[in-house]
Amino acid sequence: MKGLVWLRRDLRLHDQTALSFATKECHEVELVFIFDKEILGKLKDKTDKRVSFIYECLKEIDEKVGIHVLYGDPNIEIPKLFKKIKADKLFFNRDYEPSALKRDATVMKSISKVASYKDSVFFEPHEVLKNDGKPYTVFTPFKKKWLERFNNLGKNVSDFKVKKSKIKRPTQKFNEKIFKKIGFTYNPAIFKGGESFAKSELKKFEKKIDRYDECRDFPSVDGTSNLSVYIRHGCLSIRELINFSLKDSNKGRDIWLSELIWREFYQMILAQFPKTIKNCFKEKYERIDWRGGSKEFRAWREGKTGFPIVDAAMRCLNETGTMPNRLRMVTASFLCKTLLVDYKKGEKYFAEKLLDFDLAANNGGWQWSSSTGCDSQPYFRIFNPYTQSEKFDGDGIFIKQWCPELRGFSSKKIHSPADADMIEQSEASCRIGVDYPYPVVDYKRKREEAMKMYKEGIST
Ligand SMILES: Cc1cc2nc3c(=O)[nH]c(=O)nc-3n(C[C@H](O)[C@H](O)[C@H](O)COP(=O)(O)OP(=O)(O)OC[C@H]3O[C@@H](n4cnc5c(N)ncnc54)[C@H](O)[C@@H]3O)c2cc1C
């Protein structure tokens, strides 16, 4: 039997479920990846680094075993290739995003023999449910059930081995000419794509994981795994990451495993409640009259709000496509609850910029921060950008990295440079209003306004 394996968010050759089953069942297997015309068409920036990241992942696979890399509509290209190479069975790993489910259902109609597998999550969205069969909407009991199920399996995490010798290299070569075809330019990201780079990033994290609980919230300390972009594209398997977290037992590892469970929680929420893509999870929050204008939204996007921690985080995002989790929460909360701008605008902006953009995690993060989501923080809990800054970037190291014009300020004044008098500004060689903006809004006043805006919205 000949198999065709369709890669999507599983760009690796190790511990890969669909590929493992295909190489076990078939005498010969070919691999394919489709640059989806519709998805690429929606990307405004034709130098989008995520496309280059995917290219690098595919390049490594191509060098090792060979892969067909096509451009077009998967509903047309997959059946066409299936026929052309005279395959008997199509294999792929399941993707739970609503648009992917729709696409896969259509492809499956045109091919008689298809097998799909669980791979990108440890438990699928229907596998961790409440006792009454309903989905969880609160994280803590979800996590409890997740761990209960996991422990009942005897913490048995399989490794789906791949027989690479069964993979046939296509005659057509894959190279950078693909960029011309898809209308993009090669523009490498700070993380290089591919499973070998993912593995070396994981190795670096080995030295940090035991202190993850203490370090993860401090943006100037490299205390997290930096694996999200690799996890997003499946350069590492979720099973190996779970195993990795269990190699020892301590708080750092427990909390890191919790983050992987948050990821599955949001995947489950998106699959069980697909309306959250467009709407607030909590329906009545849909009535909030967001009154922040385009001036505030522009200042936020450009990192020119006059709130240093927010500006540093946004400039970091704009330049690198990454932002530490603590600052994602701070900037998201700031947009909705200080600038009073609709979270959907911020969510869309993050979706355009984040290298690790993942619909479920991004939507979950934004709905949590804006208090519109399931299990989100209450609307009256508003992150104070000044105290967050003092607490998590006390010496202003992260601020100084991304807002160099503020480097001359003391650790005390760097969090709120508009409070510096003329002498301090002159000593710091930074004039507020000239070299760095005044705060775009008055924080205290906006805090009151936000409370009113939420209260009125949800009680109408
Ligand atoms: C507003 C907002 C938007 C976000 N958008 C995304 C996104 O588009 N893609 C994305 O992967 N994460 C997103 N997150 C979650 C989190 O910020 C990133 O996963 C994390 O910063 C990535 O860095 P890391 O790999 O070093 O993570 P680590 O702290 O090392 O965590 C390990 C892994 O766990 C997962 N993870 C961690 N935290 C979360 C979380 N809160 N929700 C879901 N998964 C999590 C990620 O896969 C991450 O790589 C968002 C959070 C917020 C508040």
Side-chain angles (χ1 to χ4, degrees), residues 340-374:
L340 316 187
V341 173
D342 189 345
Y343 81 89
K344 287 171 189 149
K345 290 189 181 171
E347 181 191 353
K348 188 163 174 267
Y349 189 70
F350 268 31
E352 281 168 22
K353 294 283 168 188
L354 282 175
L355 286 180
D356 65 15
F357 166 62
D358 171 77
L359 182 59
N362 195 44
N363 183 267
W366 274 95
Q367 295 230 24
W368 184 89
S369 304
S370 61
S371 301
T372 58
C374 62

Side-chain angles (χ1 to χ4, degrees), residues 205 212 216 224-229 231-232 256 259-260 262-264 266 323-326 328-329 332 350 354 356-359 361-366 368-369:
F205 187 51
Y212 178 74
R216 64 182 178 143
T224 68
S225 69
N226 299 318
L227 288 175
S228 51
V229 60
I231 297 175
R232 164 64 181 82
W256 197 68
E259 297 306 323
L260 298 180
W262 265 108
R263 176 178 166 272
E264 299 211 350
Y266 284 141
M323 190 194 286
N325 181 61
R326 165 67 43 187
R328 294 189 201 200
M329 295 193 288
F350 268 31
L354 282 175
D356 65 15
F357 166 62
D358 171 77
L359 182 59
N362 195 44
N363 183 267
W366 274 95
W368 184 89
S369 304

Side-chain angles (χ1 to χ4, degrees), residues 290-301 305 310 314 327-350 366 369-370 382-383 385 441 446 450 453-454:
W290 303 97
R291 54 203 69 170
S294 54
K295 179 179 149 223
E296 288 87 352
F297 185 42
R298 190 179 328 111
W300 179 83
R301 287 196 315 266
T305 63
V310 173
M314 292 306 292
L327 299 184
R328 294 189 201 200
M329 295 193 288
V330 170
T331 52
S333 171
F334 186 80
L335 184 72
C336 312
K337 296 179 176 178
T338 303
L339 299 182
L340 316 187
V341 173
D342 189 345
Y343 81 89
K344 287 171 189 149
K345 290 189 181 171
E347 181 191 353
K348 188 163 174 267
Y349 189 70
F350 268 31
W366 274 95
S369 304
S370 61
I382 298 179
F383 275 144
V441 293
K446 285 291 168 182
M453 176 187 83
Y454 271 89

